[in-house]
Amino acid sequence: MRLGVLDVGSNTVHLLVVDAHVGARPLPAYSHKSELRLAELLEEDGAIHEDGIERLVQTVAEAKQIAEDKGVEEILPFATSAVREAVNGEAVLARVERETDIALRVLTGEDEARLTFLAARRWFGWSAGRLLVLDIGGGSLEVACGVDEDPDAAVSLPLGAGRLTQARLLGDPPPPDDIRALRKEVRAQIARTVAEFSRLGAPDKAVATSKTFKQLARIAGAARSADGPYVPRSLTAKSLQEWLPRLAEMTVDERSRLPGVSEGRARQLLAGALVADAAADLFGCLELEICPWALREGIILRRIDMLVGSGG
């Protein structure tokens, strides 16, 4: 069947259309993205403001129409931290459903971590052994580790690249004192979770997903996305340590000229690098393998599993 995954994230609203077959990998058929930046469309009290709600409704309606045009039989719509943490999140969800007939499912941070882990496990297979999976989104950092398809430990921290940039890195480039203060805070938050993962034993493979990690790997010399998903890509801790001070000195415009860095994501890249560097260091990862599958694929795989279970 043809499925559509509608991902309302902190940065983008992304519709991914795939042809899903029981016992086979989902085949991407079409992708449509809208740079909405919900995490930046907030009032001082943490509510998504009226303009943001209207833009979200329009974007979801547009994605629904595209899905219909592409022959999608079922839409799997979900929202992550930007809607989850907005003080008017419930009202926003109700309005989206009322005006578009799309009922967004709000994932918890742990849901995100577990579904992303499932996607990475299916991509790398059982031979990868114990996996540690890191995912930096616009609003949060997810970490999961385990030997099965469901991780033994999974956490979500409010350390998304968009969130941190909006709240803590306002200069262009940001003042060194602000960067240093954010680095300290990020490391302190991640360090509180390390013991929960250390008790599981050292991972056999450390994996990174998400646009932030892909862009950091690209500027450090990894293959272009145009070369396809099967080209091995990785990001070393050494590369992160070398690039971090360089990114800190760059303006947004200078970052946007780096290979693989989009104009829309350039502003967030420094915050993302701070989180990536801290996570790699504190979890003891000398190298992170980049996984092309992440949360959206995890949603699809879970839905296919349900089809197998129901026999339909």
Side-chain angles (χ1 to χ4, degrees):
M1 64 188 303
R2 178 160 281 197
L3 298 174
V5 181
L6 182 59
D7 174 2
V8 177
S10 298
N11 288 313
T12 61
V13 176
H14 187 175
L15 172 69
L16 176 64
V17 177
V18 300
D19 290 320
H21 306 273
V22 172
R25 64 185 175 88
L27 297 172
Y30 186 77
S31 177
H32 174 78
K33 296 180 184 178
S34 298
E35 293 274 348
L36 191 58
R37 300 186 189 286
L38 270 184
E40 298 178 14
L41 300 175
L42 300 177
E43 306 282 6
E44 289 186 7
D45 64 354
I48 300 174
H49 62 59
E50 181 61 25
D51 179 56
I53 299 172
E54 289 181 1
R55 288 168 59 185
L56 175 59
V57 169
Q58 292 168 4
T59 303
V60 169
E62 179 185 11
K64 179 184 177 183
Q65 183 61 56
I66 292 171
E68 292 175 359
D69 292 344
K70 297 299 179 183
V72 168
E73 296 178 53
E74 181 181 354
I75 298 177
L76 308 174
F78 68 94
T80 55
S81 62
V83 175
R84 181 171 68 233
E85 296 169 15
V87 299
N88 60 339
E90 299 251 350
V92 171
L93 293 170
R95 181 162 165 190
V96 169
E97 183 172 8
R98 185 171 64 250
E99 297 190 24
T100 69
D101 202 29
I102 294 289
L104 292 171
R105 170 192 171 198
V106 178
L107 299 180
T108 67
E110 186 175 323
D111 286 338
E112 289 188 54
R114 291 184 176 279
L115 288 164
T116 301
F117 183 90
L118 171 64
R121 168 60 74 196
R122 294 279 177 94
W123 181 268
F124 287 107
W126 296 113
S127 64
R130 179 178 285 108
L131 282 181
L132 174 70
V133 179
L134 308 176
D135 186 336
I136 301 172
S140 57
L141 162 70
E142 275 71 49
V143 185
C145 183
V147 294
D148 297 319
E149 291 202 332
D150 192 43
D152 298 310
V155 300
S156 178
L157 300 172
L159 299 176
R163 177 202 296 267
L164 296 180
T165 301
Q166 182 76 359
R168 304 294 298 276
L169 298 179
L170 301 179
D172 188 23
D177 285 349
D178 289 355
I179 297 172
R180 195 157 37 246
L182 180 57
R183 179 182 185 275
K184 179 181 177 181
E185 180 181 320
V186 165
R187 285 176 171 262
Q189 286 203 48
I190 294 175
R192 294 187 199 114
T193 71
V194 169
E196 181 178 351
F197 292 88
S198 297
R199 66 178 176 78
L200 302 175
D204 298 301
K205 188 186 292 290
V207 173
T209 73
S210 78
K211 193 70 170 179
T212 293
F213 276 116
K214 289 176 183 177
Q215 290 186 334
L216 290 169
R218 178 73 184 99
I219 67 174
R224 304 170 306 158
S225 59
D227 293 334
Y230 300 114
V231 177
R233 296 172 176 85
S234 64
L235 175 63
T236 65
K238 184 173 182 290
S239 294
L240 276 170
Q241 291 162 8
E242 291 173 350
W243 268 100
L244 196 48
R246 297 168 65 180
L247 292 171
E249 294 176 353
M250 291 181 178
T251 64
V252 171
D253 183 60
E254 288 169 335
R255 284 183 225 139
S256 70
R257 291 186 227 143
L258 293 170
V261 178
S262 65
E263 185 177 347
R265 298 271 183 162
R267 184 165 172 257
Q268 302 179 11
L269 191 61
L270 174 58
L274 284 167
V275 176
D277 175 61
D281 183 20
L282 292 168
F283 285 108
C285 307
L286 296 179
E287 184 175 26
L288 295 162
E289 292 195 43
I290 305 300
C291 180
W293 280 4
L295 178 58
R296 283 180 291 275
E297 287 77 13
I299 295 275
I300 294 164
L301 292 167
R302 181 61 53 81
R303 180 68 183 99
I304 294 174
D305 290 348
M306 290 172 64
L307 288 173
V308 174
S310 66

